Amino acid sequence: MNRAFCWLILFVSVTLFAACSSPPPTAESTADIPDTQTNTPLPTNTSFPTNTPSPPPSPTETASPFPTGTSEPSAPELEIAYLDEDVFIWNEIDGIRQLTQTGNIYNFRLSPDGQRLAYLQTIDVDRTELRLVNADGSDDRLLVSVQDLEELVSHDEPIGIFTFNWHPDGEYLAFNTQIIGYGLLKNDDLHMVNIETRSLTTLLPPGQGGDFYFSPDGSRITLVTAGNYMDIPGKISLINTDGSNRHDSLITFPSVLTYSEYAFYPPLAWSPDSTFMIVAIPSPDPMAPDASITLWRIASDGSEVAELFTINTSFFLSGLPIFSPNLTKI
């Protein structure tokens, strides 16, 4: 390894999101928020293993001071995947296992079942490929090549993958693209690749997609765009996973200043039962004296959009809001 462990990624089931912009954002429709929420209780496991005590030693036997069980070791309760030029997995039973051998890897995503790992590899200074490897290090293969990206998105500048993630069923990977150059120039598109056949589908062409968030049940995708400082607002839209039934501009908001060349895309969170989303949208200038962050709730079918409350704070100073996994606390 060329350097000490410099990237550590601990995969936990915590949903992290945040915000975007708006001096007041406008919604396609609004609804009163119910006074109470019904949360599905976590499943309760009432079955516990029982241990059958060993019979006492006979007078002619000498009891061992230590137990001598012969059962198979249990599966590891904790696994950590991390990057150090290549991808590694550690657990308390097997120790460290190296999955890739090529280096130049800078991002990865474990499949929902933990059996596969998709990763981005730098081919040269401005080109990337999307690859897939089994969690035991076998069958390392190419999914989306440099040539595939050039055919998907026609542009004079090199095209790279910006964001990629698994569909909840684990059969597809979705990704959007960016123009490689100064700053962050995202194409706001959306593509899907089948991990078995390598077949590519453009779900949404440039300008029609954005940052994307699958509902936990895999039926819908939320799309987020940033807009620009001139005349195009940011917006949040909703589609079915096949691209149909689009609800455009459920929320629109003035583009949020970042005081840099990067546009601000507000992170968004789905409820565990796929019934609603929550997004926190900052006011346009986070350094203004009256900077604020407004919390919004969106029904999964786009039928209701409701403003929950506003916090008088700047995400530049306090950071973006963090939600509990069940979206009942902030």
Side-chain angles (χ1 to χ4, degrees), residues 208-236:
Q208 297 298 310
D211 280 5
F212 59 94
Y213 298 84
F214 285 112
S215 61
D217 65 8
S219 65
R220 299 180 186 273
I221 305 173
T222 313
L223 304 167
V224 180
T225 58
N228 63 34
Y229 304 138
M230 305 297 183
D231 54 358
I232 300 177
K235 64 182 181 180
I236 297 174

PDB file of all heavy atoms in Angstrom, residues 208-236:
ATOM      1  N   GLN A 208     -32.973  16.159 -17.363  1.00  0.00           N
ATOM      2  CA  GLN A 208     -34.242  15.615 -16.901  1.00  0.00           C
ATOM      3  C   GLN A 208     -34.111  14.817 -15.594  1.00  0.00           C
ATOM      4  O   GLN A 208     -35.114  14.407 -15.026  1.00  0.00           O
ATOM      5  CB  GLN A 208     -34.850  14.703 -17.974  1.00  0.00           C
ATOM      6  CG  GLN A 208     -35.184  15.411 -19.265  1.00  0.00           C
ATOM      7  CD  GLN A 208     -36.225  16.490 -19.057  1.00  0.00           C
ATOM      8  OE1 GLN A 208     -37.270  16.253 -18.460  1.00  0.00           O
ATOM      9  NE2 GLN A 208     -35.956  17.692 -19.554  1.00  0.00           N
ATOM     10  N   GLY A 209     -32.881  14.567 -15.157  1.00  0.00           N
ATOM     11  CA  GLY A 209     -32.659  13.767 -13.956  1.00  0.00           C
ATOM     12  C   GLY A 209     -32.176  14.612 -12.799  1.00  0.00           C
ATOM     13  O   GLY A 209     -32.799  15.588 -12.408  1.00  0.00           O
ATOM     14  N   GLY A 210     -31.012  14.247 -12.247  1.00  0.00           N
ATOM     15  CA  GLY A 210     -30.441  14.957 -11.109  1.00  0.00           C
ATOM     16  C   GLY A 210     -29.897  13.970 -10.095  1.00  0.00           C
ATOM     17  O   GLY A 210     -29.659  12.805 -10.402  1.00  0.00           O
ATOM     18  N   ASP A 211     -29.689  14.434  -8.864  1.00  0.00           N
ATOM     19  CA  ASP A 211     -29.372  13.494  -7.790  1.00  0.00           C
ATOM     20  C   ASP A 211     -30.608  12.632  -7.545  1.00  0.00           C
ATOM     21  O   ASP A 211     -31.738  13.126  -7.610  1.00  0.00           O
ATOM     22  CB  ASP A 211     -28.985  14.242  -6.514  1.00  0.00           C
ATOM     23  CG  ASP A 211     -27.549  14.731  -6.555  1.00  0.00           C
ATOM     24  OD1 ASP A 211     -26.889  14.574  -7.595  1.00  0.00           O
ATOM     25  OD2 ASP A 211     -27.091  15.301  -5.546  1.00  0.00           O
ATOM     26  N   PHE A 212     -30.410  11.345  -7.256  1.00  0.00           N
ATOM     27  CA  PHE A 212     -31.545  10.432  -7.207  1.00  0.00           C
ATOM     28  C   PHE A 212     -31.542   9.630  -5.907  1.00  0.00           C
ATOM     29  O   PHE A 212     -30.496   9.297  -5.360  1.00  0.00           O
ATOM     30  CB  PHE A 212     -31.518   9.481  -8.410  1.00  0.00           C
ATOM     31  CG  PHE A 212     -30.261   8.647  -8.502  1.00  0.00           C
ATOM     32  CD1 PHE A 212     -30.212   7.376  -7.951  1.00  0.00           C
ATOM     33  CD2 PHE A 212     -29.133   9.144  -9.129  1.00  0.00           C
ATOM     34  CE1 PHE A 212     -29.055   6.611  -8.021  1.00  0.00           C
ATOM     35  CE2 PHE A 212     -27.963   8.383  -9.207  1.00  0.00           C
ATOM     36  CZ  PHE A 212     -27.925   7.113  -8.658  1.00  0.00           C
ATOM     37  N   TYR A 213     -32.759   9.305  -5.444  1.00  0.00           N
ATOM     38  CA  TYR A 213     -32.942   8.575  -4.195  1.00  0.00           C
ATOM     39  C   TYR A 213     -34.034   7.534  -4.399  1.00  0.00           C
ATOM     40  O   TYR A 213     -35.200   7.883  -4.617  1.00  0.00           O
ATOM     41  CB  TYR A 213     -33.334   9.523  -3.056  1.00  0.00           C
ATOM     42  CG  TYR A 213     -32.293  10.572  -2.747  1.00  0.00           C
ATOM     43  CD1 TYR A 213     -32.248  11.752  -3.481  1.00  0.00           C
ATOM     44  CD2 TYR A 213     -31.350  10.372  -1.749  1.00  0.00           C
ATOM     45  CE1 TYR A 213     -31.284  12.716  -3.209  1.00  0.00           C
ATOM     46  CE2 TYR A 213     -30.392  11.328  -1.470  1.00  0.00           C
ATOM     47  CZ  TYR A 213     -30.363  12.497  -2.208  1.00  0.00           C
ATOM     48  OH  TYR A 213     -29.407  13.447  -1.940  1.00  0.00           O
ATOM     49  N   PHE A 214     -33.671   6.244  -4.326  1.00  0.00           N
ATOM     50  CA  PHE A 214     -34.661   5.175  -4.431  1.00  0.00           C
ATOM     51  C   PHE A 214     -35.475   5.085  -3.151  1.00  0.00           C
ATOM     52  O   PHE A 214     -34.927   5.183  -2.042  1.00  0.00           O
ATOM     53  CB  PHE A 214     -33.974   3.822  -4.647  1.00  0.00           C
ATOM     54  CG  PHE A 214     -33.432   3.620  -6.037  1.00  0.00           C
ATOM     55  CD1 PHE A 214     -32.060   3.559  -6.251  1.00  0.00           C
ATOM     56  CD2 PHE A 214     -34.281   3.474  -7.117  1.00  0.00           C
ATOM     57  CE1 PHE A 214     -31.549   3.357  -7.518  1.00  0.00           C
ATOM     58  CE2 PHE A 214     -33.784   3.277  -8.396  1.00  0.00           C
ATOM     59  CZ  PHE A 214     -32.420   3.220  -8.603  1.00  0.00           C
ATOM     60  N   SER A 215     -36.777   4.847  -3.292  1.00  0.00           N
ATOM     61  CA  SER A 215     -37.576   4.497  -2.122  1.00  0.00           C
ATOM     62  C   SER A 215     -37.125   3.122  -1.641  1.00  0.00           C
ATOM     63  O   SER A 215     -36.671   2.296  -2.435  1.00  0.00           O
ATOM     64  CB  SER A 215     -39.062   4.484  -2.474  1.00  0.00           C
ATOM     65  OG  SER A 215     -39.337   3.528  -3.483  1.00  0.00           O
ATOM     66  N   PRO A 216     -37.225   2.842  -0.344  1.00  0.00           N
ATOM     67  CA  PRO A 216     -36.775   1.538   0.160  1.00  0.00           C
ATOM     68  C   PRO A 216     -37.443   0.344  -0.514  1.00  0.00           C
ATOM     69  O   PRO A 216     -36.824  -0.717  -0.646  1.00  0.00           O
ATOM     70  CB  PRO A 216     -37.127   1.600   1.651  1.00  0.00           C
ATOM     71  CG  PRO A 216     -37.053   3.055   1.986  1.00  0.00           C
ATOM     72  CD  PRO A 216     -37.582   3.758   0.762  1.00  0.00           C
ATOM     73  N   ASP A 217     -38.703   0.498  -0.966  1.00  0.00           N
ATOM     74  CA  ASP A 217     -39.353  -0.619  -1.645  1.00  0.00           C
ATOM     75  C   ASP A 217     -39.007  -0.694  -3.129  1.00  0.00           C
ATOM     76  O   ASP A 217     -39.463  -1.587  -3.842  1.00  0.00           O
ATOM     77  CB  ASP A 217     -40.870  -0.567  -1.455  1.00  0.00           C
ATOM     78  CG  ASP A 217     -41.511   0.656  -2.120  1.00  0.00           C
ATOM     79  OD1 ASP A 217     -40.822   1.394  -2.859  1.00  0.00           O
ATOM     80  OD2 ASP A 217     -42.721   0.877  -1.892  1.00  0.00           O
ATOM     81  N   GLY A 218     -38.197   0.258  -3.615  1.00  0.00           N
ATOM     82  CA  GLY A 218     -37.716   0.221  -4.994  1.00  0.00           C
ATOM     83  C   GLY A 218     -38.700   0.685  -6.035  1.00  0.00           C
ATOM     84  O   GLY A 218     -38.402   0.623  -7.232  1.00  0.00           O
ATOM     85  N   SER A 219     -39.860   1.202  -5.657  1.00  0.00           N
ATOM     86  CA  SER A 219     -40.892   1.538  -6.640  1.00  0.00           C
ATOM     87  C   SER A 219     -40.765   2.949  -7.189  1.00  0.00           C
ATOM     88  O   SER A 219     -41.259   3.222  -8.291  1.00  0.00           O
ATOM     89  CB  SER A 219     -42.278   1.359  -6.021  1.00  0.00           C
ATOM     90  OG  SER A 219     -42.485   2.287  -4.967  1.00  0.00           O
ATOM     91  N   ARG A 220     -40.128   3.852  -6.455  1.00  0.00           N
ATOM     92  CA  ARG A 220     -40.076   5.253  -6.877  1.00  0.00           C
ATOM     93  C   ARG A 220     -38.669   5.821  -6.721  1.00  0.00           C
ATOM     94  O   ARG A 220     -37.843   5.309  -5.961  1.00  0.00           O
ATOM     95  CB  ARG A 220     -41.073   6.101  -6.072  1.00  0.00           C
ATOM     96  CG  ARG A 220     -42.530   5.662  -6.257  1.00  0.00           C
ATOM     97  CD  ARG A 220     -43.471   6.536  -5.443  1.00  0.00           C
ATOM     98  NE  ARG A 220     -44.836   6.052  -5.500  1.00  0.00           N
ATOM     99  CZ  ARG A 220     -45.723   6.379  -6.439  1.00  0.00           C
ATOM    100  NH1 ARG A 220     -45.361   7.188  -7.425  1.00  0.00           N
ATOM    101  NH2 ARG A 220     -46.947   5.887  -6.406  1.00  0.00           N
ATOM    102  N   ILE A 221     -38.449   6.924  -7.445  1.00  0.00           N
ATOM    103  CA  ILE A 221     -37.179   7.645  -7.374  1.00  0.00           C
ATOM    104  C   ILE A 221     -37.480   9.122  -7.177  1.00  0.00           C
ATOM    105  O   ILE A 221     -38.276   9.707  -7.915  1.00  0.00           O
ATOM    106  CB  ILE A 221     -36.341   7.482  -8.659  1.00  0.00           C
ATOM    107  CG1 ILE A 221     -36.110   6.010  -8.990  1.00  0.00           C
ATOM    108  CG2 ILE A 221     -35.006   8.209  -8.527  1.00  0.00           C
ATOM    109  CD1 ILE A 221     -35.443   5.782 -10.345  1.00  0.00           C
ATOM    110  N   THR A 222     -36.847   9.731  -6.189  1.00  0.00           N
ATOM    111  CA  THR A 222     -36.915  11.181  -6.023  1.00  0.00           C
ATOM    112  C   THR A 222     -35.724  11.807  -6.732  1.00  0.00           C
ATOM    113  O   THR A 222     -34.600  11.316  -6.627  1.00  0.00           O
ATOM    114  CB  THR A 222     -36.894  11.580  -4.544  1.00  0.00           C
ATOM    115  OG1 THR A 222     -37.824  10.772  -3.825  1.00  0.00           O
ATOM    116  CG2 THR A 222     -37.262  13.030  -4.365  1.00  0.00           C
ATOM    117  N   LEU A 223     -35.975  12.892  -7.453  1.00  0.00           N
ATOM    118  CA  LEU A 223     -34.937  13.598  -8.212  1.00  0.00           C
ATOM    119  C   LEU A 223     -34.743  14.988  -7.626  1.00  0.00           C
ATOM    120  O   LEU A 223     -35.718  15.689  -7.326  1.00  0.00           O
ATOM    121  CB  LEU A 223     -35.338  13.722  -9.682  1.00  0.00           C
ATOM    122  CG  LEU A 223     -35.655  12.409 -10.403  1.00  0.00           C
ATOM    123  CD1 LEU A 223     -36.329  12.694 -11.741  1.00  0.00           C
ATOM    124  CD2 LEU A 223     -34.380  11.596 -10.609  1.00  0.00           C
ATOM    125  N   VAL A 224     -33.488  15.395  -7.460  1.00  0.00           N
ATOM    126  CA  VAL A 224     -33.155  16.699  -6.905  1.00  0.00           C
ATOM    127  C   VAL A 224     -32.237  17.425  -7.875  1.00  0.00           C
ATOM    128  O   VAL A 224     -31.237  16.855  -8.336  1.00  0.00           O
ATOM    129  CB  VAL A 224     -32.464  16.565  -5.539  1.00  0.00           C
ATOM    130  CG1 VAL A 224     -32.114  17.947  -4.976  1.00  0.00           C
ATOM    131  CG2 VAL A 224     -33.347  15.807  -4.555  1.00  0.00           C
ATOM    132  N   THR A 225     -32.571  18.667  -8.210  1.00  0.00           N
ATOM    133  CA  THR A 225     -31.680  19.504  -9.012  1.00  0.00           C
ATOM    134  C   THR A 225     -31.387  20.789  -8.246  1.00  0.00           C
ATOM    135  O   THR A 225     -32.152  21.190  -7.349  1.00  0.00           O
ATOM    136  CB  THR A 225     -32.288  19.839 -10.385  1.00  0.00           C
ATOM    137  OG1 THR A 225     -33.550  20.503 -10.194  1.00  0.00           O
ATOM    138  CG2 THR A 225     -32.503  18.576 -11.199  1.00  0.00           C
ATOM    139  N   ALA A 226     -30.283  21.454  -8.621  1.00  0.00           N
ATOM    140  CA  ALA A 226     -29.801  22.600  -7.857  1.00  0.00           C
ATOM    141  C   ALA A 226     -30.236  23.934  -8.437  1.00  0.00           C
ATOM    142  O   ALA A 226     -30.241  24.942  -7.732  1.00  0.00           O
ATOM    143  CB  ALA A 226     -28.275  22.559  -7.783  1.00  0.00           C
ATOM    144  N   GLY A 227     -30.586  23.988  -9.738  1.00  0.00           N
ATOM    145  CA  GLY A 227     -30.856  25.261 -10.377  1.00  0.00           C
ATOM    146  C   GLY A 227     -29.575  26.059 -10.543  1.00  0.00           C
ATOM    147  O   GLY A 227     -28.460  25.537 -10.421  1.00  0.00           O
ATOM    148  N   ASN A 228     -29.710  27.350 -10.839  1.00  0.00           N
ATOM    149  CA  ASN A 228     -28.540  28.218 -10.889  1.00  0.00           C
ATOM    150  C   ASN A 228     -28.867  29.572 -10.269  1.00  0.00           C
ATOM    151  O   ASN A 228     -30.019  29.852  -9.935  1.00  0.00           O
ATOM    152  CB  ASN A 228     -28.006  28.381 -12.318  1.00  0.00           C
ATOM    153  CG  ASN A 228     -29.003  29.060 -13.247  1.00  0.00           C
ATOM    154  OD1 ASN A 228     -29.775  29.937 -12.836  1.00  0.00           O
ATOM    155  ND2 ASN A 228     -29.002  28.666 -14.504  1.00  0.00           N
ATOM    156  N   TYR A 229     -27.836  30.389 -10.096  1.00  0.00           N
ATOM    157  CA  TYR A 229     -28.016  31.647  -9.387  1.00  0.00           C
ATOM    158  C   TYR A 229     -28.749  32.690 -10.219  1.00  0.00           C
ATOM    159  O   TYR A 229     -29.180  33.714  -9.703  1.00  0.00           O
ATOM    160  CB  TYR A 229     -26.659  32.207  -8.964  1.00  0.00           C
ATOM    161  CG  TYR A 229     -25.834  31.271  -8.120  1.00  0.00           C
ATOM    162  CD1 TYR A 229     -24.480  31.119  -8.330  1.00  0.00           C
ATOM    163  CD2 TYR A 229     -26.428  30.530  -7.106  1.00  0.00           C
ATOM    164  CE1 TYR A 229     -23.728  30.251  -7.559  1.00  0.00           C
ATOM    165  CE2 TYR A 229     -25.693  29.662  -6.323  1.00  0.00           C
ATOM    166  CZ  TYR A 229     -24.332  29.532  -6.558  1.00  0.00           C
ATOM    167  OH  TYR A 229     -23.595  28.677  -5.795  1.00  0.00           O
ATOM    168  N   MET A 230     -28.879  32.464 -11.500  1.00  0.00           N
ATOM    169  CA  MET A 230     -29.469  33.461 -12.388  1.00  0.00           C
ATOM    170  C   MET A 230     -30.998  33.382 -12.407  1.00  0.00           C
ATOM    171  O   MET A 230     -31.681  34.192 -11.818  1.00  0.00           O
ATOM    172  CB  MET A 230     -28.911  33.294 -13.803  1.00  0.00           C
ATOM    173  CG  MET A 230     -27.400  33.347 -13.869  1.00  0.00           C
ATOM    174  SD  MET A 230     -26.759  34.953 -13.352  1.00  0.00           S
ATOM    175  CE  MET A 230     -25.009  34.706 -13.643  1.00  0.00           C
ATOM    176  N   ASP A 231     -31.505  32.331 -13.070  1.00  0.00           N
ATOM    177  CA  ASP A 231     -32.943  32.320 -13.303  1.00  0.00           C
ATOM    178  C   ASP A 231     -33.592  30.948 -13.206  1.00  0.00           C
ATOM    179  O   ASP A 231     -34.803  30.827 -13.394  1.00  0.00           O
ATOM    180  CB  ASP A 231     -33.238  32.897 -14.690  1.00  0.00           C
ATOM    181  CG  ASP A 231     -32.463  32.181 -15.788  1.00  0.00           C
ATOM    182  OD1 ASP A 231     -31.683  31.276 -15.466  1.00  0.00           O
ATOM    183  OD2 ASP A 231     -32.641  32.539 -16.963  1.00  0.00           O
ATOM    184  N   ILE A 232     -32.820  29.894 -12.924  1.00  0.00           N
ATOM    185  CA  ILE A 232     -33.397  28.548 -12.870  1.00  0.00           C
ATOM    186  C   ILE A 232     -33.458  28.090 -11.413  1.00  0.00           C
ATOM    187  O   ILE A 232     -32.417  27.978 -10.753  1.00  0.00           O
ATOM    188  CB  ILE A 232     -32.574  27.559 -13.702  1.00  0.00           C
ATOM    189  CG1 ILE A 232     -32.524  28.009 -15.161  1.00  0.00           C
ATOM    190  CG2 ILE A 232     -33.173  26.164 -13.604  1.00  0.00           C
ATOM    191  CD1 ILE A 232     -31.655  27.120 -16.051  1.00  0.00           C
ATOM    192  N   PRO A 233     -34.646  27.847 -10.869  1.00  0.00           N
ATOM    193  CA  PRO A 233     -34.729  27.395  -9.475  1.00  0.00           C
ATOM    194  C   PRO A 233     -34.332  25.935  -9.345  1.00  0.00           C
ATOM    195  O   PRO A 233     -34.383  25.162 -10.302  1.00  0.00           O
ATOM    196  CB  PRO A 233     -36.207  27.593  -9.139  1.00  0.00           C
ATOM    197  CG  PRO A 233     -36.903  27.415 -10.455  1.00  0.00           C
ATOM    198  CD  PRO A 233     -35.968  27.983 -11.496  1.00  0.00           C
ATOM    199  N   GLY A 234     -33.937  25.552  -8.153  1.00  0.00           N
ATOM    200  CA  GLY A 234     -33.793  24.141  -7.857  1.00  0.00           C
ATOM    201  C   GLY A 234     -35.161  23.522  -7.689  1.00  0.00           C
ATOM    202  O   GLY A 234     -36.157  24.225  -7.447  1.00  0.00           O
ATOM    203  N   LYS A 235     -35.243  22.208  -7.815  1.00  0.00           N
ATOM    204  CA  LYS A 235     -36.549  21.571  -7.681  1.00  0.00           C
ATOM    205  C   LYS A 235     -36.407  20.126  -7.222  1.00  0.00           C
ATOM    206  O   LYS A 235     -35.348  19.507  -7.369  1.00  0.00           O
ATOM    207  CB  LYS A 235     -37.333  21.636  -8.991  1.00  0.00           C
ATOM    208  CG  LYS A 235     -36.704  20.880 -10.141  1.00  0.00           C
ATOM    209  CD  LYS A 235     -37.534  21.055 -11.411  1.00  0.00           C
ATOM    210  CE  LYS A 235     -36.939  20.273 -12.576  1.00  0.00           C
ATOM    211  NZ  LYS A 235     -37.739  20.433 -13.812  1.00  0.00           N
ATOM    212  N   ILE A 236     -37.496  19.606  -6.686  1.00  0.00           N
ATOM    213  CA  ILE A 236     -37.587  18.209  -6.264  1.00  0.00           C
ATOM    214  C   ILE A 236     -38.756  17.587  -7.008  1.00  0.00           C
ATOM    215  O   ILE A 236     -39.877  18.106  -6.981  1.00  0.00           O
ATOM    216  CB  ILE A 236     -37.772  18.096  -4.751  1.00  0.00           C
ATOM    217  CG1 ILE A 236     -36.535  18.667  -4.040  1.00  0.00           C
ATOM    218  CG2 ILE A 236     -37.999  16.650  -4.330  1.00  0.00           C
ATOM    219  CD1 ILE A 236     -36.652  18.741  -2.554  1.00  0.00           C
TER     220      ILE A 236
END
